[in-house]
């Protein structure tokens, strides 16, 4: 009954037996629906070791949905998510987030450093203002992404790549252990992409885990230790070398699973007209 | 020659418009600019109901009624958006017109009562500054001071939730509650502004300072301070003009003064102004062939 | 009902019909608030037209209204795009500024022309039928003539430009690609809104115009997905509002225009609550019904699995509640419904077992469950111990057609991942089951 393909759990088995530590991220049977229509089916994956993980799949595959559901920004239809063995509410301080660039109004009257400082708000707690230490830390994060000299610019004056790096610096300022990044390299030039990639590697080398929604298939093997292939369901998850293979990619991109589409419609139809 | 009355009115309108400018910034930046308009219209039935229940004109009670029904209006807008396929703009229009209609129904019923003429409900629709008394000014000052304190205290939180609510949520801030607090502040401002500028024009008092000052600054803090200052000067100037020129209603006068300043800013402001951008576009056209790629976006 | 009442209702009908029909297009284009803005912003145009022509009626007023509606639309665009102000804020600025200008103009010329800003806001429908002109042997209210003309133009506009209006409302980009000038259509629509607004002003005031532009269209949109039906329903809401609103106003001795706004709001509330597809009640009822059916299917499935293990099974309600973990308050009514449908038989009083018919129904549920488990195992690579829970959910949604599709894809596999048999389709596919 088991498919010949590497299943999520099968790939993990060696590490499961070697380390009994709490998983960094444990997604259990996660199903997410919009307007009663499931868009992500029964995703089941466990991340045991700090790594750089690419989330890859065609448009409408549910990549952003997965991240948002894990972070509690979208309601979960069924299943559960544990981060460091706890619920998202208990570990917010250890989570960093880079949203899609379109998610905010870039004409908003704040400068680059202000945005990066927002990353420190979580640790500051209620009513305390960022002080000198936070400002220095924000500048340090900006230096990391090579935007220190733009610190005082209004965010609308930045190029697309600079805006992405601003968001990245804000996530760095969160001092998280687990990062979720939604297409941080979308619409970015080659130099910026290289900068971002080096940063991600550095984070991984510091023992952090980074999940990145990524759209450029050519660079996947170069960038990521592990990949999640996603198309309405988890097609495969495992080390890039064994998972990022032509036939699995074909399974991911070669059309949607007709049965899942039919099933999604059946669910919606029955919810609507029982 | 300034009389005691004029001084009262000037002080009141200045503080009121400063408060509206400050609170309006958050509404405009969150794309809720017309929520203030809906709130103002939705306040009318509560105002009238409070009068009907009490049987006499009592400003605090009427303002409380106004606040409650304005609040109900905001809830209706949110409910219509979340629970049906009606979009936000239509929901705002629906609440605005239906609640206002209900207000008119009630106000005409009040006018039938023996003491109805004294209710002074008309002044809430078009605004009437001349009637302002010292007590009103204290009320405005008190609320403005409380709002200022609240915004100072939660400056960081309100700024974050206005800019990026999802990120705020991930950091564990109660984004919904912070948003409701801002809306409550908006409601309070609108309601105490009703007697002065009236239902129809209060929206401009909220919007004009923010969008005008946005031409002059890129900084959140200076936008807030600037909007408060701009609001108060617009209020002062408008009130002063209307008190010196005959047959010049105050509310509309304040709005027109603000609009003129807005237009002037849109024209001449550095960088964001129309002239500056026109000049920049011209220069860009001249230098297209010479300019390095990836310059000014 | 006397002549005065009849005329008043007719006037209101004409106004509500014209507004309701145009409002549908505004709503679909997400331009409801621009309609709102126009109905405020025509005021200075009216004032200037009064000042120049010295008349309260006639073509100068309409020319001014059309001009102002176009100017308003253009100003909103300019402030939004040219001055980089968010669209809602630019609507707010433009309409308040123009309305303020209008109030000032009217206040200053009030001595020359008899015009009251309050009348602009909420009209004087009560006396609209008193100002009449003779037509033949009839005394027809002047406002009625104006509104009839406005309604006629509106109908003509919609009928003549039906195709263009429809396509530019749904997909302006496609319209432009097809050579239909979407921009021009928008300005024409705005000019129509301005015309109807002014025609309605004197009778009902601007607030009712806004209500009648937006609310009937929104109510109609909750009731149908088809544009012609939406227009008809919006018109019907408009007419019933005219009649009920007038009756209510007479009853409470209050403003007719205000009462109509309230009545149309109540009609929308009814649509929100009771629309057959979109309504809250319908959604609630469907959710409840679905939950019951799921519970019924759970009972049947439980019986089937017991029979699989131990052969014939009969149980009392208490035993089902305990053994099947179905201890819910409405278990009694669920079992009763199953008995009534012939799915369960009562062997002894209070003891139930599966009937043949029930076995067939249960079979479909079990088949759905095991097919889905196999499908998940095959394509989603879930570990075996994660398969049951999702299948438990999905067994209620996978109907015969989908079952067939899955079975086909699994090459008619006979066992599920736990090694239990996947029951075949019930007859007519008269294969013997495993």
């Amino acid at each position: 009954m088991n498919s010949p393909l590497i299943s999520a759990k099968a790939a993990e088995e060696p590490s499961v037996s070697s380390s009994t530590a709490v998983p960094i991220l444990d997604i259990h049977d996660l199903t997410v629906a919009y307007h009663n229509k499931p868009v992500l089916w029964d995703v089941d994956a466990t991340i045991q070791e700090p790594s750089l993980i690419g989330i890859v799949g065609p448009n409408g595959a549910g990549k952003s949905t997965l991240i948002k559901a894990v972070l509690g920004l979208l309601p979960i239809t069924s299943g559960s998510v544990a981060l460091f063995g706890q619920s998202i509410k208990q570990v917010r301080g250890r989570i960093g987030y880079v949203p899609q660039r379109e998610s905010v109004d870039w004409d908003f009257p704040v400068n680059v450093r202000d945005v990066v400082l927002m990353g420190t708000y979580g640790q500051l707690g209620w009513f305390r203002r960022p002080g000198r230490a936070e400002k220095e830390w924000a500048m340090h994060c900006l230096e990391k992404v090579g935007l220190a000299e733009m610190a005082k610019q209004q965010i609308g004056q930045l190029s697309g790549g600079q805006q992405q790096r601003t968001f990245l610096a804000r996530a760095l300022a969160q001092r998280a252990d687990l990062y979720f990044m939604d297409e941080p390299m979308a619409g970015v030039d080659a130099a910026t992409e290289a900068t971002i990639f080096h940063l991600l590697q550095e984070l991984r080398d510091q023992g952090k885990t980074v999940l990145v929604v990524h759209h450029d298939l050519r660079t996947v093997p170069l960038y990521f230790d592990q990949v999640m292939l996603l198309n309405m369901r988890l097609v495969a998850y495992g080390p890039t070398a064994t998972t990022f293979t032509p036939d699995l990619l074909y399974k991911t991109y070669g059309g949607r699973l007709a049965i899942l589409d039919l099933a999604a419609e059946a669910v919606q139809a029955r919810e609507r007209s029982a | 020659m300034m009389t005691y009355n004029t001084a009262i009115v000037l002080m009141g309108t200045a503080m009121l418009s400063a408060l509206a400018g400050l609170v309006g910034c958050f509404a405009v930046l969150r794309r809720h600019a017309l929520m203030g308009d809906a709130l103002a219209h939705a306040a009318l039935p509560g105002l009238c109901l409070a009068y009907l229940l009490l049987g006499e004109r009592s400003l605090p009670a009427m303002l409380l009624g106004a606040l409650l029904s304005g609040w109900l209006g905001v809830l209706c807008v949110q409910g219509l958006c979340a629970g049906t396929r009606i979009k936000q703009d239509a929901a705002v229009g629906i609440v605005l017109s239906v609640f206002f209609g209900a207000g008119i129904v009630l106000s005409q019923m009040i006018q039938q009562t023996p003491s109805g003429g004294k209710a002074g409900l008309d002044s809430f629709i078009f605004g009437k500054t001349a009637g302002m008394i010292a007590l009103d000014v204290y009320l405005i000052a008190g609320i403005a001071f409380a709002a200022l304190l609240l915004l100072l205290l939660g400056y960081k939180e309100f700024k974050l939730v206005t800019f990026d609510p999802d990120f705020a949520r991930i950091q564990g801030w109660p984004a919904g509650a912070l948003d409701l607090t801002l809306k409550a502040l908006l409601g309070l401002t609108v309601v105490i502004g009703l007697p002065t500028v009236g239902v129809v024009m209060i929206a401009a008092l909220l919007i004009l300072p923010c969008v005008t000052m946005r031409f002059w600054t890129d900084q959140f803090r200076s936008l807030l301070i600037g909007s408060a200052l701009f609001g108060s000067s617009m209020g002062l100037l408008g009130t002063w003009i209307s008190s010196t020129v005959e047959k010049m209603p105050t509310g509309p006068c304040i709005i027109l003064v603000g609009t003129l300043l807005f237009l002037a800013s849109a024209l001449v402001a550095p960088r964001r102004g129309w002239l500056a951008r026109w000049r920049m576009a011209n220069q860009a056209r001249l230098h297209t062939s010479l300019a390095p790629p990836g310059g000014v976006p | 009902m006397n002549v005065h009442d009849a005329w008043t209702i007719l006037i209101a009908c004409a106004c509500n019909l014209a507004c309701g029909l145009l409002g549908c297009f505004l709503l679909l284009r997400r331009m409801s608030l621009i309609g709102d803005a126009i109905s405020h912003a025509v005021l200075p145009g009216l004032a200037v037209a009064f000042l120049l022509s010295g008349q309260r009626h006639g073509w100068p007023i309409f020319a001014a209204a059309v001009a102002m509606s176009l100017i308003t639309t253009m100003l909103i665009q300019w402030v939004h795009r040219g001055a980089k102000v968010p669209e809602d804020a630019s609507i707010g600025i433009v309409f308040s500024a123009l309305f303020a200008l209008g109030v000032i103009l009217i206040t200053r010329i009030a001595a020359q022309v008899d015009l009251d800003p309050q009348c602009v806001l909420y009209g004087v429908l009560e006396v609209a039928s008193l100002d009449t002109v003779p037509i033949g042997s009839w005394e027809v209210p002047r406002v009625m003539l104006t509104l009839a003309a406005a309604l006629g133009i509106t109908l003509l506009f919609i009928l003549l430009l039906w195709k263009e209006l429809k396509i530019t409302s749904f997909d302006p980009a496609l319209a432009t690609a097809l050579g239909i000038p979407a921009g021009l259509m928008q300005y024409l629509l705005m000019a129509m809104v301005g015309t109807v607004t002014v025609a309605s002003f004197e009778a009902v005031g601007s607030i009712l115009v806004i209500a009648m532009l937006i609310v009937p269209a929104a109510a109609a949109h909750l009731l149908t997905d088809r544009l012609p039906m939406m227009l008809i329903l919006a018109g019907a809401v408009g007419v019933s509002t005219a009649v009920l609103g007038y009756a209510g106003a007479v009853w409470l001795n209050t403003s007719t225009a205000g009462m109509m706004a309230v009545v149309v709001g109540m009609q929308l509330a009814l649509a929100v609550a009771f629309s057959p597809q979109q309504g809250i009640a319908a959604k609630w009822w469907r959710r409840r019904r679905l939950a019951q059916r799921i519970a019924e299917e759970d009972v049947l499935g439980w019986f089937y699995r017991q029979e699989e293990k131990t052969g014939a099974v009969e149980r009392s309600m208490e035993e089902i509640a305990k053994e099947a973990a179905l201890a819910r308050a409405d278990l009694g009514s669920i079992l009763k419904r199953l008995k009534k449908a012939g799915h369960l038989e009562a062997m002894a009083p209070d003891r139930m077992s599966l009937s043949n018919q029930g076995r067939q129904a249960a079979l479909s549920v079990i088949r759905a469950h095991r097919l889905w488990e196999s499908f998940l195992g095959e394509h989603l690579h879930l570990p075996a111990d994660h398969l049951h829970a999702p299948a438990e959910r999905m067994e209620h949604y996978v109907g015969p057609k989908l079952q067939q599709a899955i079975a086909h894809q699994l090459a008619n596999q006979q066992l599920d991942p736990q090694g239990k048999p996947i029951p075949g389709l019930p007859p007519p596919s008269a294969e013997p089951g495993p």
Side-chain angles (χ1 to χ4, degrees):
Chain A
M1 260 65 45
N2 241 335
S3 77
L5 308 163
I6 304 157
S7 87
K9 272 286 146 78
E12 289 291 338
E13 249 148 41
S15 57
V16 172
S17 51
S18 66
S19 76
T20 49
V22 203
I24 295 166
L25 176 64
D26 192 9
I27 305 175
H28 182 89
D29 265 354
L30 181 71
T31 297
V32 188
Y34 280 115
H35 305 298
N36 295 328
K37 192 172 179 175
V39 289
L40 205 56
W41 291 87
D42 299 294
V43 173
D44 212 76
T46 308
I47 298 172
Q48 289 285 359
E49 261 152 38
S51 46
L52 201 48
I53 301 157
I55 303 177
V56 176
N59 283 335
K63 293 167 290 182
S64 294
T65 307
L66 175 65
I67 286 192
K68 287 186 176 162
V70 167
L71 289 174
L73 294 178
L74 283 179
I76 288 173
T77 305
S78 68
S80 62
V81 174
L83 306 108
F84 305 105
Q86 287 172 301
S87 83
I88 175 78
K89 282 194 182 123
Q90 293 163 303
V91 290
R92 288 191 192 279
R94 298 176 71 184
I95 308 298
Y97 178 48
V98 176
Q100 281 187 10
R101 190 152 59 89
E102 298 78 40
S103 67
V104 300
D105 169 19
W106 290 95
D107 202 36
F108 200 89
V110 285
N111 65 32
V112 173
R113 197 189 65 176
D114 284 339
V115 173
V116 178
L117 271 174
M118 286 176 188
T120 67
Y121 283 10
Q123 283 137 32
L124 278 173
W126 282 100
F127 309 134
R128 262 187 63 208
R129 301 284 174 82
R132 204 209 206 139
E134 282 78 23
K135 283 174 186 158
E136 274 167 13
W137 171 241
M139 283 313 292
H140 173 75
C141 295
L142 272 175
E143 270 160 33
K144 284 255 176 194
V145 300
L147 278 181
E149 71 279 16
M150 308 289 272
K152 294 284 178 185
Q153 297 270 357
Q154 195 266 330
I155 50 174
Q157 293 165 22
L158 305 180
S159 70
Q162 289 166 333
Q163 290 176 346
Q164 293 284 25
R165 281 189 277 159
T166 305
F167 267 174
L168 200 65
R170 179 174 72 171
L172 292 181
Q174 289 184 279
R175 301 181 210 249
D177 296 318
L178 173 57
Y179 288 92
F180 295 87
M181 306 189 179
D182 203 343
E183 305 236 20
M185 301 192 209
V188 151
D189 60 85
T192 309
E193 188 163 330
T195 321
I196 294 178
F197 170 56
H198 284 299
L199 262 168
L200 299 185
Q201 273 193 319
E202 205 175 299
L203 285 174
R204 190 256 331 266
D205 295 341
Q206 289 165 12
K208 315 203 163 188
T209 297
V210 190
L211 280 97
V212 183
V213 172
H214 195 65
H215 63 285
D216 183 3
L217 289 183
R218 286 167 305 173
T219 47
V220 169
L222 212 62
Y223 290 168
F224 301 110
D225 314 326
Q226 313 242 343
V227 281
M228 281 188 188
L229 297 178
L230 209 66
N231 189 357
M232 294 182 77
R233 84 285 186 195
L234 188 63
V235 177
Y237 164 52
T240 311
T242 51
T243 314
F244 199 71
T245 58
D247 50 324
L248 280 177
L249 276 176
Y250 182 76
K251 279 196 90 167
T252 315
Y253 283 83
R256 298 151 76 88
L257 269 187
I259 299 281
L260 285 184
D261 272 325
L262 288 175
E265 271 158 32
V267 170
Q268 195 180 28
R270 192 153 192 204
E271 296 274 356
R272 288 223 169 135
S273 64
Chain B
M1 180 62 209
M2 193 184 278
T3 63
Y4 172 72
N5 264 340
T6 322
I8 292 275
V9 169
L10 279 177
M11 239 159 67
T13 39
M15 266 191 297
L16 178 69
S17 337
L19 176 63
L22 188 65
V23 174
C25 281
F26 291 95
V28 171
L29 291 174
R30 277 235 56 193
R31 303 284 146 90
H32 282 161
L34 290 175
M35 203 59 107
D37 196 32
L39 241 162
H41 283 80
L44 194 63
L47 205 79
C48 298
L49 262 184
Y51 181 88
L52 270 180
L53 288 178
L54 285 177
E56 57 169 9
R57 185 185 161 90
S58 145
L59 195 61
M62 286 166 83
L63 292 188
L64 185 67
L67 193 62
L68 289 179
S69 74
W71 192 240
L72 185 67
V74 169
L75 288 184
C76 284
V77 170
Q78 286 183 337
L80 283 175
C81 293
T84 73
R85 53 156 64 161
I86 296 170
K87 302 288 179 297
Q88 178 164 343
D89 63 330
V92 165
I94 288 166
V95 165
L96 183 154
S97 55
V98 171
F99 274 69
F100 194 73
I104 290 169
V105 165
L106 290 170
S107 88
Q108 297 239 331
M109 287 166 75
I110 288 173
Q111 243 126 62
Q112 316 286 338
T113 64
S115 61
K118 284 181 237 141
L121 290 171
D122 289 346
S123 69
F124 288 103
I125 293 170
F126 288 99
K128 189 174 164 198
T129 39
M132 204 181 263
I133 55 169
L135 198 68
D136 298 341
V137 177
Y138 293 144
L139 184 70
I140 295 173
I143 288 177
F145 183 68
L148 195 66
L149 260 180
L150 188 68
L151 288 177
L152 272 176
L153 190 67
Y155 174 78
K156 171 181 102 224
E157 289 77 8
F158 290 128
K159 178 176 165 184
L160 177 64
V161 85
T162 307
F163 174 63
D164 192 346
D166 270 357
F167 191 77
R169 224 162 274 141
I170 282 176
Q171 282 191 333
W173 301 106
L178 287 168
D179 200 47
L180 276 184
T181 312
L182 283 176
K183 283 211 182 97
L185 216 49
L186 186 71
L188 215 54
T189 309
V190 165
V191 163
I192 61 166
L194 280 184
T196 313
V197 282
V199 166
V200 185
M201 277 166 284
I202 194 117
L205 216 55
L206 295 164
I207 301 171
L208 275 171
C210 174
V211 295
T212 309
M213 287 318 292
R214 189 64 189 84
F215 285 111
W216 302 96
T217 178
D218 279 336
Q219 287 257 315
F220 192 64
R221 189 196 318 224
S222 30
L223 182 74
L224 293 185
I225 298 171
S227 296
L229 291 178
F230 179 89
S232 65
S233 36
M234 163 177 136
L236 282 175
L237 204 58
T239 315
W240 178 71
I241 291 175
S242 95
S243 69
T244 47
V245 180
E246 221 180 302
K247 279 206 261 173
M248 184 63 92
T250 314
C253 190
I254 295 176
I255 305 301
L256 272 199
V257 168
T259 308
L260 289 179
L261 291 173
F262 163 75
L263 287 177
S265 303
L267 211 60
V268 303
R271 225 171 45 69
R272 285 175 77 91
W274 189 74
L275 275 178
R277 282 197 288 148
W278 179 73
R279 205 177 307 131
M280 229 143 60
N282 262 358
Q283 274 168 1
R285 211 172 303 141
L286 281 175
H287 294 122
T288 337
S289 48
L290 303 170
V296 186
Chain C
M1 190 161 90
N2 57 29
V3 184
H4 169 76
D5 295 330
W7 277 126
T8 309
I9 290 176
L10 264 184
I11 290 170
C13 278
C15 161
N16 293 358
L17 264 176
C19 291
L21 294 179
L22 284 180
C24 289
F25 297 103
L26 287 182
L27 186 90
L28 291 175
R29 285 163 172 256
R30 314 249 170 110
M31 288 177 77
S32 302
L33 286 178
I34 296 189
D36 171 15
I38 286 176
S39 59
H40 283 97
V42 290
L43 195 57
L46 295 192
V48 171
F50 281 139
L51 206 55
L52 293 181
S53 70
Q55 281 181 311
R56 292 180 50 162
H57 312 286
W59 67 267
I61 301 300
F62 281 92
V66 170
M68 281 317 291
S69 53
L70 297 183
I71 289 173
T72 308
T73 316
M74 280 190 270
L75 276 178
I76 290 173
Q77 293 279 337
W78 181 79
V79 172
H80 174 43
R81 300 239 175 84
K84 286 172 78 173
V85 171
E87 195 178 13
D88 57 343
S90 72
I91 291 177
I93 291 176
V94 170
F95 92 74
S96 338
L98 289 174
F99 190 77
L101 188 66
V103 171
I104 289 178
L105 282 175
I106 287 176
T107 317
R108 294 188 73 78
I109 61 173
Q112 297 161 40
V113 194
D114 172 31
L115 181 73
D116 180 2
Q118 284 178 35
C119 151
V120 171
L121 266 191
Y122 40 89
V124 279
L125 189 52
E126 296 79 2
V127 297
S129 66
L130 302 179
D131 177 14
T132 57
V133 285
I135 290 188
S137 57
W138 287 51
E139 289 286 323
V140 180
R142 190 196 303 274
V143 184
M144 185 70 235
L145 293 180
T146 319
L147 273 167
L151 177 59
I153 298 174
T154 305
L155 287 174
L156 215 61
F157 170 73
I158 293 174
L159 287 176
L160 284 180
L161 294 173
W162 172 256
K163 176 170 91 282
E164 287 81 3
L165 273 172
K166 190 172 169 178
I167 194 159
T168 49
S169 298
F170 279 111
D171 191 346
L174 175 68
T176 314
L178 290 173
I180 297 166
L184 178 69
M185 288 305 298
Q186 178 178 330
Y187 281 109
L188 275 178
L189 184 62
M190 291 304 124
M192 283 306 304
V193 171
T195 311
V196 168
T197 303
V198 163
S200 318
F201 250 10
E202 194 177 346
V204 300
S206 68
I207 287 299
L208 185 59
V209 171
I210 299 166
M212 294 319 293
L213 276 173
I214 304 177
V215 188
H221 195 40
L222 290 178
L223 296 171
T224 181
D225 285 325
R226 287 177 50 243
L227 185 58
M229 198 56 191
M230 187 174 159
L231 287 169
I232 291 170
L233 286 172
V237 169
V239 171
S240 62
T241 299
V243 177
L244 295 173
Y246 186 73
V250 169
W251 176 50
L252 289 173
N253 188 17
T254 184
S255 153
T256 312
M259 205 60 211
M260 285 190 195
V262 172
V263 167
V264 80
M266 278 154 57
Q267 296 198 41
L268 177 77
L270 285 180
V272 167
F274 300 115
S275 157
Q277 271 304 310
Q278 312 269 331
I280 294 170
K283 280 182 190 163
W284 176 84
W285 175 249
R286 284 200 297 266
R287 201 163 303 141
R288 197 183 122 91
R289 204 59 209 98
L290 181 63
Q292 282 173 351
R293 291 206 180 162
I294 284 176
E296 287 169 27
E297 289 173 4
D298 279 341
V299 172
L300 292 180
W302 179 81
F303 266 104
Y304 187 94
R305 287 195 182 91
Q306 292 304 308
E307 283 190 353
E308 240 179 1
K309 276 187 228 154
T310 59
V313 172
E314 55 168 82
R315 289 286 190 280
S316 73
M317 184 174 120
E318 288 72 28
E319 287 163 344
I320 294 172
K322 211 167 115 200
E323 292 176 44
L326 275 168
R328 37 188 294 160
D330 59 347
L331 183 60
S333 69
I334 286 165
L335 294 178
K336 205 175 284 170
R337 226 182 340 256
L338 283 171
K339 266 190 268 184
K340 207 167 159 202
H343 289 328
L344 288 183
E345 301 171 321
M347 304 311 276
D350 199 38
R351 298 197 63 83
M352 284 154 279
S353 69
L354 220 46
S355 71
N356 267 334
Q357 192 191 342
R359 204 162 289 119
Q360 291 301 328
L363 194 114
S364 171
V365 176
I366 297 296
R367 179 172 157 82
H369 181 103
R370 291 181 185 163
L371 278 171
W372 192 253
E373 279 192 342
S374 309
F375 171 76
L376 289 185
E378 176 82 21
H379 289 280
L380 272 71
H381 324 304
L382 294 180
D385 61 331
H386 284 205
L387 292 174
H388 181 74
E392 195 64 23
R393 270 195 326 276
M394 279 305 289
E395 66 185 19
H396 306 293
Y397 298 97
V398 179
K401 236 168 98 186
L402 192 52
Q403 288 175 17
Q404 204 149 22
I406 299 174
H408 182 72
Q409 210 175 54
L410 296 172
N412 289 317
Q413 182 180 316
Q414 302 286 312
L415 299 176
D416 77 357
Q418 273 94 31
K420 290 193 186 137
I422 299 172
L425 283 175
S429 65
E431 291 168 28

